[in-house]
């Protein structure tokens, strides 16, 4: 009964910023590290790329080198959500973004982010 619902995607201009969110349920959110991944367009068989991870406590974060310094992952235990704050976006980061609970194999539907003039 794990549920992961990503939201907040949309169209943003290069250099712009966007915040996306993942609402989680069906497991003990406070005990699970959470991560964001993305799948680029053009090939439905392409594997998701790791973007960022946050520990269960929220005290430790880890980022893919390409987004470090521009993206921030955070979590709200009370709301059982994980947030990805993205800044200085480039067109190559157009993708569907997904969240995942560490140790689980479930994915939500994702939220689409399009970076274009």
């Amino acid at each position: 009964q794990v549920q992961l619902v990503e939201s907040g995607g949309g169209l943003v201009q290069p250099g712009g910023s966007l915040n996306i969110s993942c609402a989680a349920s069906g497991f003990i959110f406070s005990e699970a590290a959470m991560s964001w991944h993305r799948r680029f367009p053009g090939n439905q068989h392409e594997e998701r790329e790791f973007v960022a991870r946050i520990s269960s406590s929220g005290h430790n974060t880890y980022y893919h080198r390409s987004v470090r310094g521009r993206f921030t992952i955070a979590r709200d235990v009370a709301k059982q959500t994980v947030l990805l704050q993205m800044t200085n976006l480039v067109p190559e980061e157009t993708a569907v973004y997904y969240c995942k609970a560490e140790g689980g194999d479930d994915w939500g539907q994702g939220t689409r982010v399009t970076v274009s003039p």
Side-chain angles (χ1 to χ4, degrees):
Q1 199 175 332
V2 173
Q3 298 284 341
L4 299 167
V5 182
E6 300 91 343
S7 63
L11 176 65
V12 60
Q13 294 184 342
S17 301
L18 193 67
N19 296 340
I20 58 176
S21 181
C22 171
S25 62
F27 62 99
I28 304 176
F29 180 77
S30 62
E31 298 288 337
M34 300 292 295
S35 60
W36 284 97
H37 307 250
R38 59 191 176 186
R39 175 179 284 160
F40 299 106
N43 189 347
Q44 295 300 312
H45 299 287
E46 184 175 328
E47 293 188 10
R48 298 173 178 87
E49 176 188 78
F50 168 78
V51 177
R53 181 174 64 237
I54 186 167
S55 65
S56 58
S57 68
H59 294 160
N60 299 308
T61 58
Y62 180 78
Y63 300 91
H64 188 277
R65 63 183 181 182
S66 68
V67 308
R68 188 172 297 163
R70 297 187 299 113
F71 289 15
T72 301
I73 186 171
R75 66 192 299 155
D76 186 330
V77 176
K79 295 182 179 180
Q80 296 197 168
T81 60
V82 58
L83 177 72
L84 186 66
Q85 301 170 302
M86 303 178 288
T87 65
N88 199 21
L89 287 159
V90 297
E92 291 74 19
E93 290 171 316
T94 294
V96 177
Y97 286 70
Y98 302 84
C99 68
K100 184 179 183 296
E102 193 163 298
D105 297 320
D106 299 289
W107 301 93
Q109 295 186 40
T111 187
R112 184 176 298 275
V113 174
T114 302
V115 186
S116 179

